Amino acid sequence: MEEDIAKSAVTLSGILVSLFPVMIGGLLAIGGALTGTLLTYFLSERSKRKAMKREKLEQLLCAANRTEHWLDEYKNTKLGVYEKDIGSSPIAEVKYLNELYLNELDTEVINFSLVAAEYTSLIAACHFEKQKAGVIPSNFIDEYTPIIKKLTRATSLLVEKAGKVARDI
């Protein structure tokens, strides 16, 4: 009986020894599959984040372009070139997109926003003077020219920095 137990132990240990490479191979296959899946997932997520950032960058630049157009419309409606409802300024969208997705553009967006506010303030003051006196103030062009140059420069700096950010994505 002791011999039977000894033979069984030798047979069992022989089976386990012969299965050991199979178990190691199975563990390596499972590990490789999990690693490959995780790597694919992380690379896919990274790619999606980059695509979303590019999309948000494009949306920010479109909103900046709409802001410039809105400012021109604001000037034309306030100074009596024509009457129409122009809605609200898209500058808030520029700020939101910057804050949520593109902090790299903080300086340029703040500058753009400040110049847009200065532009709006000038037009509002001229509108007030026009309402009071019945004509556009004679110094309007002298005050408008430097602000429109600042707006153009602020837009150029924003677009230039956005281009750098896009290339770095």
Side-chain angles (χ1 to χ4, degrees):
M1 178 136 139
E2 287 180 22
E3 287 180 25
D4 290 336
I5 293 175
K7 285 181 185 180
S8 296
V10 169
T11 307
L12 181 60
S13 66
I15 292 171
L16 289 177
V17 168
S18 67
L19 289 177
F20 187 70
V22 173
M23 291 188 314
I24 296 295
L27 289 174
L28 288 173
I30 291 170
L34 289 175
T35 302
T37 303
L38 287 174
L39 184 61
T40 302
Y41 171 77
F42 286 119
L43 291 175
S44 173
E45 285 300 308
R46 185 175 171 197
S47 177
K48 287 178 186 175
R49 282 192 305 273
K50 285 182 175 185
M52 184 184 73
K53 191 166 186 172
R54 279 189 190 97
E55 180 183 330
K56 297 302 178 183
L57 180 61
E58 185 178 328
Q59 288 176 2
L60 185 142
L61 291 175
C62 287
N65 186 46
R66 285 194 317 274
T67 299
E68 280 191 291
H69 180 72
W70 183 89
L71 289 168
D72 192 50
E73 294 287 307
Y74 181 74
K75 172 187 59 104
N76 291 337
T77 57
K78 291 298 179 187
L79 298 182
V81 175
Y82 50 76
E83 287 186 31
K84 77 179 206 180
D85 180 22
I86 61 170
S88 60
S89 171
I91 191 70
E93 184 180 353
V94 174
K95 292 177 185 178
Y96 296 152
L97 288 166
N98 176 65
E99 189 62 33
L100 294 174
Y101 303 103
L102 299 154
N103 294 343
E104 303 96 318
L105 299 175
D106 278 349
T107 303
E108 290 75 17
V109 168
I110 289 169
N111 185 41
F112 180 76
S113 178
L114 290 173
V115 173
E118 187 178 352
Y119 183 103
T120 305
S121 177
L122 171 68
I123 301 304
C126 287
H127 175 69
F128 178 75
E129 289 296 320
K130 183 180 179 223
Q131 296 288 61
K132 209 165 66 170
V135 294
I136 297 172
S138 59
N139 63 343
F140 171 72
I141 296 298
D142 295 334
E143 292 180 21
Y144 178 77
T145 302
I147 292 175
I148 196 67
K149 286 180 181 178
K150 283 171 68 174
L151 181 63
T152 302
R153 180 71 180 141
T155 303
S156 295
L157 290 173
L158 179 60
V159 169
E160 182 180 308
K161 181 69 180 263
K164 288 179 184 175
V165 169
R167 285 187 292 278
D168 291 342
I169 293 177

